[in-house]
Amino acid sequence: MSIDSLTDLRDQLFGAQPDPPFLLVLITALLALAVIFVRVTWRVGRNAITIAHEGGHALAAVLTGRRLTGIKLHSDTSGLTLSAGRPTGPGMTFTLLAGYVAPSLIGLLGAWLLAGNRITLLLWITVAALLAMLIMIRNVYGIVSILVTGAVVFGVSWYAEPEVQAAFAYTGVWFLLIGGVRPVFELQSMRSWGRMPQSDADQLAGITRVPAIFWVGVFLVVNLAALAAGLLLLAGGYLPEITLN
């Protein structure tokens, strides 16, 4: 690869794209809402939330010094992350805590990149993160899920026009920000029916002696705060323009 090609690649990756029109930001937010609140599309889209959820567990385990042994993703949109280490203590607490807040926090990071118009960089970071996660996947459905997701993101980042990249990136970030909230309500609903006795919140309660409902509240507060911050990053710059118009 020539120096000029490397320079072009660097500029494409780290260069800022033009500001998208407010209509695109609005339409992508509405599209993400539709995917989240329509049962059929949520059943498919929730796989992305699961990937982010289990990725959060995995990253937290590594950062706290636990030994990550594997990740499984299932067709019912459930997942499992296995790590070795002390069954109690800060490392295990942080690892359990990370799952339900990961989609929203990843969405917030994405919103920050989009606020700086780093659309291509966001897409490439996503591909890199998926490839890193792929190494630890331990079941066929999980491998296929990661490969398909990564291929779609890479295809958009490499072949699509800037307008399409922007629409794709904004939809994805809105989906993580808004979609990260819904599983918390699903979690509490299933807990109230006794269908998730070993949920992350219940495991946190077991090792911290703090009631599970407290941890459900923590998940919700963090995710709502991330949504509010993401909203300001993605749409805040358009408020003066909307007011003047």
Side-chain angles (χ1 to χ4, degrees):
M1 182 179 291
S2 68
I3 294 177
D4 289 341
S5 297
L6 288 174
T7 301
D8 291 342
L9 182 61
R10 182 197 63 193
D11 292 342
Q12 179 184 1
L13 182 57
F14 294 102
Q17 285 76 39
D19 287 326
F22 176 71
L23 184 60
L24 181 143
V25 178
L26 177 61
I27 289 175
T28 54
L30 294 175
L31 178 59
L33 276 170
V35 172
I36 292 163
F37 288 104
V38 174
R39 184 175 181 179
V40 175
T41 54
W42 173 243
R43 177 66 178 75
V44 176
R46 202 183 192 285
N47 285 281
I49 299 295
T50 302
I51 291 172
H53 179 114
E54 300 305 328
H57 282 314
L59 180 60
V62 172
L63 291 178
T64 57
R66 297 180 63 81
R67 183 168 62 86
L68 183 63
T69 57
I71 303 169
K72 292 184 179 181
L73 305 171
H74 303 296
S75 59
D76 63 355
T77 72
S78 65
L80 178 65
T81 298
L82 301 172
S83 62
R86 289 184 57 194
T88 60
M92 190 62 187
T93 300
F94 185 53
T95 299
L96 288 169
L97 183 61
Y100 275 95
V101 302
S104 295
L105 293 180
I106 293 170
L108 181 58
L109 174 61
W112 177 71
L113 288 170
L114 290 181
N117 293 331
R118 298 305 196 273
I119 296 171
T120 303
L121 179 60
L122 168 61
L123 296 176
W124 281 38
I125 288 175
T126 302
V127 173
L130 289 168
L131 289 176
M133 192 173 176
L134 179 63
I135 298 171
M136 300 307 301
I137 298 294
R138 296 292 182 263
N139 67 324
V140 174
Y141 181 84
I143 292 173
V144 172
S145 182
I146 294 291
L147 287 176
V148 170
T149 304
V152 170
V153 177
F154 176 76
V156 170
S157 70
W158 192 259
Y159 297 106
E161 295 297 322
E163 296 80 6
V164 177
Q165 289 188 17
F168 181 83
Y170 271 84
T171 302
V173 168
W174 280 123
F175 180 76
L176 289 173
L177 287 170
I178 305 170
V181 176
R182 177 169 174 172
V184 180
F185 288 100
E186 294 177 341
L187 165 66
Q188 184 54 29
S189 175
M190 295 183 73
R191 288 188 65 255
S192 67
W193 287 95
R195 295 171 60 187
M196 290 189 70
Q198 293 299 315
S199 71
D200 292 352
D202 289 283
Q203 291 183 66
L204 281 165
I207 65 176
T208 64
R209 300 186 184 278
V210 177
I213 190 63
F214 170 83
W215 296 109
V216 175
V218 170
F219 299 155
L220 184 60
V221 169
V222 171
N223 291 358
L224 288 175
L227 175 57
L231 178 62
L232 288 175
L233 286 169
L234 295 177
Y238 295 94
L239 293 179
E241 177 183 339
I242 296 170
T243 302
L244 290 175
N245 290 340

